[in-house]
Amino acid sequence: KLLPAGMVEKDYYITELLRELSSMFPFLVFKGGTSLSKCYGAIERFSEDIDLSTDIAITQGQRRQVKEKLFNTISQLGMAIVNAKDIRSRQNYNRYVIAYDSVLSPSALGSTVIVEILYSITAVPVDELPVQSMIGFYLQKNNPLLAKDFLLSSFRMKNQSLTRTFIDKVFALADYELRGERNRQSRHIYDLYKLFSTTNSHCQKVETDQKFKAFVYGRVLGDDLKIYTYSYEKNKIFIIKMKTNISIR
């Protein structure tokens, strides 16, 4: 399958940022659309943002280390932070806009990578999965020695589980609806559809038993305000209060 050169180039920078971050900070968890496509193979759309969270509560000192080391890593990779003045380690959420010097002609994909880090909510449960760039995968298959020489071999990183991602996307759509922001959310609907049907070597498709449906749809029995919990295997994901009149279908 032929891919646009700009996509392959952007994927290289995404992967190298992930490689460095995973080696420095084992508590970081890769999640979102890019995780679904790169690591789980659950979706077939190109997602160009890096969404990260943590699987533990981290200290303010660790947040500062993430910021400082990420700044250094970006510089070492020959990239530049466009919005450096907006980054604050005390913030629960930071969005890094990172530019790289493309060797290609300008394209619609642009030459920036977005890294979003959220500290306020832990991302559990996780699956530790291999990560590799498109060009690294090609070389690994056709010329393993060349892949090794150019440091393009795969590495492993924690990824938020498919079930947790499914739940997050359902509630993201609900939030957008409540805020009247329906436009340009088709990617979440697409991802949910694919998560229902995906079956691959890493993880089976999202299972939707009655307990899961009761959590996702927020079926209300009696009172219109309840606390729902959902457990994935032995790891409790989170507790959420929700008010809704949507029933299970």
Side-chain angles (χ1 to χ4, degrees):
K1 182 179 180 180
L2 294 178
L3 298 171
M7 186 181 294
V8 176
E9 182 184 52
K10 186 180 291 286
D11 176 76
Y12 165 80
Y13 284 104
I14 288 172
T15 306
E16 292 310 301
L17 281 169
L18 288 171
R19 185 191 303 276
E20 296 301 320
L21 287 169
S22 65
S23 66
M24 292 186 293
F25 304 107
F27 53 75
L28 286 179
V29 177
F30 188 25
K31 63 179 186 176
T34 311
S35 165
L36 293 179
S37 62
K38 281 189 69 64
C39 299
Y40 283 107
I43 62 175
E44 298 174 2
R45 67 179 178 86
F46 181 67
S47 180
E48 53 190 289
D49 295 348
I50 298 175
D51 294 317
L52 300 170
S53 192
T54 65
D55 61 350
I56 58 171
I58 65 172
T59 66
Q60 188 58 46
Q62 288 173 308
R63 292 189 187 193
R64 283 196 298 271
Q65 287 183 349
V66 171
K67 175 187 172 183
E68 292 168 1
K69 291 190 176 182
L70 183 52
F71 270 55
N72 291 336
T73 297
I74 290 168
S75 178
Q76 291 168 6
L77 291 173
M79 307 169 77
I81 302 177
V82 176
N83 65 329
K85 67 180 186 303
D86 299 327
I87 309 301
R88 300 286 186 273
S89 59
R90 289 187 176 276
Q91 296 175 168
N92 285 327
Y93 167 81
N94 274 302
R95 183 176 187 267
Y96 296 75
V97 181
I98 306 166
Y100 57 88
D101 292 326
S102 176
V103 297
L104 305 170
S105 301
S107 71
L109 285 172
S111 55
T112 59
V113 172
I114 307 297
V115 176
E116 297 180 305
I117 305 179
L118 179 66
Y119 294 118
S120 56
I121 302 176
T122 54
V124 292
V126 300
D127 298 312
E128 191 170 298
L129 300 173
V131 187
Q132 192 169 28
S133 63
M134 295 174 182
I135 188 66
F137 179 81
Y138 175 83
L139 290 176
Q140 192 76 44
K141 184 177 180 180
N142 295 280
N143 194 332
L145 290 177
L146 198 57
K148 185 177 180 180
D149 288 344
F150 282 92
L151 305 178
L152 294 174
S153 299
S154 66
F155 59 96
R156 299 186 73 82
M157 185 172 188
K158 291 176 182 176
N159 283 251
Q160 181 172 271
S161 74
L162 292 180
T163 302
R164 171 62 188 273
T165 299
F166 182 95
I167 292 170
D168 284 354
K169 285 185 172 291
V170 167
F171 281 97
L173 282 174
D175 287 342
Y176 291 134
E177 174 68 21
L178 290 172
R179 295 201 301 263
E181 299 174 4
R182 298 181 182 179
N183 296 334
R184 303 187 66 182
Q185 307 306 332
S186 59
R187 69 185 187 281
H188 294 303
I189 298 172
Y190 167 80
D191 292 348
L192 288 171
Y193 167 76
K194 296 297 287 186
L195 287 174
F196 264 125
S197 58
T198 188
T199 302
N200 53 55
S201 60
H202 301 312
C203 190
Q204 297 296 310
K205 68 180 181 179
V206 171
E207 297 297 332
T208 54
D209 56 19
Q210 286 302 308
K211 186 177 180 182
F212 181 90
K213 288 180 180 179
F215 175 80
V216 171
Y217 289 107
R219 184 178 187 183
V220 175
L221 302 175
D223 299 334
D224 64 353
L225 184 63
K226 284 184 174 290
I227 298 177
Y228 292 95
T229 65
Y230 184 80
S231 293
Y232 179 82
E233 295 178 351
K234 294 182 180 180
N235 297 310
K236 183 177 288 185
I237 293 180
F238 53 80
I239 298 175
I240 185 166
K241 288 184 177 180
M242 58 185 300
K243 185 174 182 179
T244 180
N245 59 0
I246 301 175
S247 61
I248 299 176
R249 297 185 183 279

